[in-house]
Amino acid sequence: MEEKILQSYRVKEHLLDEVFDHNGTIKKPYKKLYSHFNKYNSEDFRKVNDATKLSFLMQGITFATYAENPKGTERIFPFDLMPRIITSTEWAELEKGLIQRNLAINLFLKDIYNDKKILKDKVVPSELIFSSVNYNKYMVDFEPPGGIYNHISGTDLIKHSDGKFYVLEDNVRCPSGVSYVLSNRDALKKALSLLFKELRVGTVFDYAEALSTCLHSVAPEGVDSATCAVLTPGMYNAAYFEHSFLAQSMGLQLVEGRDLFVDHGFLYMKTIYGKKKLDVLYRRVDDEFLDPLVYRADSMLGVPGLMDVYRQGNVSIINAPGTGASDDKAVYSFIPQIIKYYLDEDPILNNVHTYQCEIPAEMDHVLNNMENLVIKPVDQSGGYGIFIGSGASKAEIEEMKQKIKSDPREYVAQPIMNLSTHSTFIEESNCFEPRHVDLRAFTLLGHDYQYILKGGLTRVALKKDSLIVNSSQGGGSKDTWVADVE
């Protein structure tokens, strides 16, 4: 008898598998999905998988991985056909936690650039903030239109073997990935249309409208009908697909720095009909390249004079420059105190215990327990620079120790968390195998406006036993279903 595609699947001991329990029994939320997938044998499933990949190629759903190719050649964004299911009950708790966390981060950003009460009260060390490379002195004594800094946040969460979600990182500079959520959903809607209805899966297709509402809500004072645009570094950027996708989805112009100019205190876009005033700029360009008159003089990506227009209140920048001061990984460990300080509430979402290497006692602990820790640079994103002690050689450990000793402020350490695993189709073996996953959840904050994308991006570590799920490090993705199944 021919073996079905999930028949040989084996759960890893000591790890939480999202689909099966440790006896190999399918979990209740996945029963209908299991029945559907297990109709296939490996040969038939591969055909379905190949057809989906071809669909992604035809749509140009790509990503560039600089880690593997210095020239950033684009490749198809890896996508797994089996979705991840999060129950509505679980999701409701996550939503409350995400709103709470990002509201507190916004208040924190407003405070550290203005009154600095939390620093004066010594809840967060002043030196930690002022030594951050992402603390932006051009934001001091300034409040953006609408009072919002982190309009768009991408919060990275994992489910640990204890069954609880933990926040790994807060990304509030230019979080990427939402275009793949929508593309993944579009692909699965075609392949699994009946299951969406049976499991009452929440939609993600309202994101573009929500983002547009968010942008318009923080337009400069006195602007009734704002003109918005998406600023991209250009087609050679790793996330260019996403930039163009979002602009098109919202019906906005996708612009580069050379398309914009400043005149008499306002920002304008060049068009074939002449100049057009811009009121809201959703920038996907890093702070240091935004304005060559203020930041890097050699930047060809930004607009000379943009920060002056911004500080005059004549344009809104999404996200505000300087937000990176709060997603510094050393600041992450203070988020529970930050939530308590501004909201007088206990944190809903869990933090992972974090060691600050610049504190001597904590650095000693890190240096003596390297094999059990993950070491992270505080100002990097995309999985770059992460060191996992359990898989490192003695030479690599010694090299990392020297880096920490020479620049303790640059590094934090966390215990190695047991990220949950999920059944994932592996082309090399032509069968489903467990792979570690995390979840990037997207939150929008506008003026009197809050929104959470129902589902987010489940990222998959495609290499066996790897804990690195980042797309820029070769990771893949899954559609994430918030389903009404308990």
Side-chain angles (χ1 to χ4, degrees), residues 157-191:
L157 302 114
I158 58 113
K159 187 181 266 190
H160 189 49
S161 51
D162 61 6
K164 297 177 182 175
F165 278 102
Y166 289 77
V167 175
L168 273 190
E169 290 182 15
D170 300 288
N171 298 283
V172 292
R173 280 172 275 178
C174 295
S176 292
V178 73
S179 61
Y180 303 113
V181 175
L182 305 181
S183 300
N184 291 352
R185 178 59 56 86
D186 192 47
L188 274 202
K189 277 286 228 182
K190 293 168 184 165

Coordinates of all heavy atoms in Angstrom, one line a residue, residues 157-191:
L157 N 7.9 36.6 18.0 CA 7.6 35.7 19.1 C 7.9 34.3 18.8 O 7.9 33.9 17.6 CB 6.1 35.8 19.4 CG 5.5 37.2 19.7 CD1 4.5 37.6 18.5 CD2 4.8 37.2 21.0
I158 N 8.1 33.5 19.8 CA 8.3 32.1 19.7 C 7.4 31.4 20.7 O 7.0 32.0 21.7 CB 9.8 31.6 19.9 CG1 10.3 32.0 21.3 CG2 10.7 32.2 18.8 CD1 10.5 30.9 22.2
K159 N 7.1 30.1 20.4 CA 6.3 29.3 21.4 C 7.4 28.3 21.9 O 8.0 27.6 21.2 CB 5.2 28.6 20.7 CG 4.3 27.9 21.7 CD 3.1 27.2 21.1 CE 1.9 28.0 21.1 NZ 0.7 27.2 20.7
H160 N 7.6 28.4 23.2 CA 8.6 27.6 23.9 C 8.0 26.2 24.2 O 6.8 26.0 24.1 CB 9.0 28.3 25.2 CG 10.1 27.7 25.9 ND1 11.3 27.4 25.3 CD2 10.3 27.4 27.2 CE1 12.2 26.9 26.1 NE2 11.6 26.9 27.3
S161 N 8.8 25.3 24.6 CA 8.4 23.9 24.9 C 7.4 23.9 26.1 O 6.7 22.9 26.3 CB 9.5 23.0 25.2 OG 10.4 23.6 26.1
D162 N 7.3 25.0 26.9 CA 6.3 25.1 28.0 C 4.9 25.5 27.4 O 4.0 25.6 28.2 CB 6.8 26.1 29.1 CG 6.9 27.5 28.6 OD1 6.6 27.8 27.4 OD2 7.4 28.3 29.4
G163 N 4.8 25.7 26.1 CA 3.5 26.0 25.5 C 3.2 27.5 25.5 O 2.1 27.9 25.1
K164 N 4.1 28.3 26.1 CA 3.8 29.8 26.2 C 4.5 30.5 25.0 O 5.6 30.2 24.6 CB 4.3 30.3 27.5 CG 3.5 29.7 28.7 CD 4.1 30.3 30.0 CE 3.4 29.6 31.2 NZ 4.0 30.1 32.5
F165 N 3.9 31.7 24.6 CA 4.6 32.5 23.7 C 5.5 33.5 24.4 O 5.2 33.9 25.5 CB 3.6 33.4 22.9 CG 2.9 32.7 21.8 CD1 1.6 32.2 21.9 CD2 3.6 32.6 20.6 CE1 1.0 31.5 20.8 CE2 3.0 31.9 19.5 CZ 1.7 31.4 19.6
Y166 N 6.7 33.7 23.8 CA 7.7 34.7 24.4 C 8.1 35.7 23.3 O 8.2 35.3 22.1 CB 9.0 34.0 24.8 CG 8.8 33.1 26.1 CD1 8.2 31.9 26.0 CD2 9.3 33.6 27.3 CE1 8.0 31.1 27.2 CE2 9.1 32.8 28.5 CZ 8.5 31.6 28.4 OH 8.4 30.9 29.5
V167 N 8.2 36.9 23.6 CA 8.7 37.9 22.7 C 10.3 37.7 22.6 O 10.9 37.7 23.6 CB 8.4 39.3 23.1 CG1 9.1 40.3 22.1 CG2 6.9 39.5 23.1
L168 N 10.8 37.6 21.4 CA 12.2 37.5 21.2 C 12.8 38.9 20.9 O 13.9 39.3 21.3 CB 12.6 36.6 20.0 CG 12.7 35.1 20.3 CD1 13.3 34.4 19.1 CD2 13.6 34.8 21.5
E169 N 12.1 39.7 20.0 CA 12.6 41.0 19.6 C 11.5 41.9 19.3 O 10.4 41.5 18.9 CB 13.5 40.8 18.3 CG 14.8 40.2 18.5 CD 15.6 40.1 17.3 OE1 15.3 40.9 16.3 OE2 16.6 39.3 17.2
D170 N 11.7 43.2 19.4 CA 10.8 44.2 18.9 C 11.5 44.9 17.7 O 12.6 45.3 17.8 CB 10.5 45.3 20.0 CG 9.9 44.7 21.2 OD1 8.7 44.3 21.2 OD2 10.6 44.5 22.3
N171 N 10.8 44.9 16.6 CA 11.3 45.6 15.4 C 10.5 46.8 15.1 O 9.3 46.7 14.6 CB 11.3 44.6 14.2 CG 12.2 43.4 14.5 OD1 13.4 43.5 14.4 ND2 11.6 42.3 14.8
V172 N 11.0 48.0 15.3 CA 10.2 49.2 15.1 C 10.9 50.2 14.2 O 10.5 51.4 14.1 CB 9.8 49.9 16.4 CG1 8.9 49.0 17.2 CG2 11.1 50.2 17.3
R173 N 11.9 49.8 13.5 CA 12.5 50.7 12.5 C 11.8 50.5 11.2 O 10.9 51.3 10.8 CB 14.0 50.4 12.4 CG 14.9 51.0 13.5 CD 16.3 50.5 13.5 NE 16.5 49.3 14.2 CZ 17.6 48.6 14.3 NH1 18.7 49.1 13.8 NH2 17.7 47.5 15.0
C174 N 12.2 49.5 10.4 CA 11.5 49.2 9.1 C 11.2 47.7 9.0 O 11.8 47.0 8.2 CB 12.4 49.6 7.9 SG 12.7 51.4 7.8
P175 N 10.3 47.2 9.8 CA 10.0 45.8 9.8 C 9.5 45.3 8.5 O 8.6 45.9 7.9 CB 9.0 45.6 10.9 CG 8.3 46.9 11.1 CD 9.4 48.0 10.8
S176 N 10.1 44.2 8.0 CA 9.7 43.6 6.7 C 8.9 42.4 6.9 O 8.8 41.8 8.0 CB 10.9 43.3 5.9 OG 11.6 44.4 5.5
G177 N 8.2 41.9 5.8 CA 7.6 40.6 5.8 C 6.1 40.6 5.5 O 5.6 39.5 5.2
V178 N 5.5 41.7 5.7 CA 4.0 41.7 5.6 C 3.5 41.3 4.2 O 2.5 40.7 4.0 CB 3.4 43.0 6.1 CG1 3.6 44.1 5.1 CG2 1.9 42.8 6.4
S179 N 4.3 41.7 3.2 CA 3.9 41.3 1.8 C 3.9 39.8 1.6 O 3.0 39.3 0.8 CB 4.8 42.0 0.8 OG 6.1 41.5 0.9
Y180 N 4.7 39.1 2.3 CA 4.7 37.7 2.1 C 3.5 37.0 2.8 O 3.1 36.0 2.4 CB 6.1 37.1 2.6 CG 7.2 37.7 1.9 CD1 8.1 38.5 2.6 CD2 7.4 37.5 0.6 CE1 9.2 39.1 1.9 CE2 8.5 38.1 -0.1 CZ 9.3 38.9 0.6 OH 10.4 39.5 -0.1
V181 N 3.1 37.7 3.9 CA 1.8 37.2 4.6 C 0.7 37.2 3.6 O -0.1 36.2 3.4 CB 1.5 38.1 5.8 CG1 0.1 37.7 6.4 CG2 2.6 38.1 6.8
L182 N 0.6 38.3 2.8 CA -0.6 38.5 1.9 C -0.4 37.6 0.7 O -1.3 37.0 0.2 CB -0.7 39.9 1.5 CG -0.8 40.9 2.6 CD1 -1.0 42.3 2.1 CD2 -2.0 40.6 3.5
S183 N 0.9 37.4 0.2 CA 1.1 36.5 -0.9 C 0.9 35.1 -0.6 O 0.3 34.3 -1.4 CB 2.6 36.7 -1.4 OG 2.8 38.1 -1.8
N184 N 1.4 34.7 0.6 CA 1.1 33.3 1.1 C -0.4 33.0 1.2 O -0.8 31.9 0.8 CB 1.7 33.1 2.5 CG 3.3 33.1 2.5 OD1 3.9 33.1 1.4 ND2 3.9 33.1 3.6
R185 N -1.1 34.0 1.7 CA -2.5 33.7 1.8 C -3.2 33.6 0.5 O -4.1 32.8 0.3 CB -3.2 34.9 2.6 CG -4.7 34.8 2.8 CD -5.1 33.5 3.6 NE -4.4 33.4 4.8 CZ -4.9 33.9 6.0 NH1 -6.0 34.6 6.0 NH2 -4.3 33.7 7.1
D186 N -2.8 34.4 -0.4 CA -3.3 34.4 -1.8 C -3.1 33.0 -2.4 O -4.0 32.4 -3.0 CB -2.7 35.5 -2.6 CG -3.5 35.7 -3.9 OD1 -4.7 35.8 -3.9 OD2 -2.8 35.8 -5.0
A187 N -1.9 32.5 -2.2 CA -1.6 31.2 -2.8 C -2.4 30.1 -2.1 O -3.0 29.2 -2.8 CB -0.1 30.9 -2.6
L188 N -2.6 30.1 -0.8 CA -3.3 29.1 -0.1 C -4.8 29.2 -0.4 O -5.5 28.2 -0.3 CB -3.0 29.1 1.4 CG -1.8 28.3 1.8 CD1 -1.9 28.0 3.3 CD2 -1.5 27.1 1.0
K189 N -5.3 30.4 -0.6 CA -6.7 30.6 -0.9 C -7.1 29.8 -2.1 O -8.2 29.2 -2.2 CB -7.1 32.0 -1.1 CG -7.3 32.8 0.2 CD -8.6 32.4 0.8 CE -9.4 33.7 1.2 NZ -10.7 33.3 1.8
K190 N -6.2 29.7 -3.0 CA -6.5 29.0 -4.3 C -6.3 27.5 -4.1 O -7.1 26.7 -4.6 CB -5.5 29.4 -5.4 CG -5.7 30.9 -5.8 CD -4.5 31.4 -6.6 CE -4.7 32.9 -7.0 NZ -3.5 33.5 -7.5
A191 N -5.4 27.1 -3.2 CA -5.2 25.7 -3.0 C -6.1 25.0 -2.0 O -6.5 23.8 -2.1 CB -3.7 25.4 -2.6

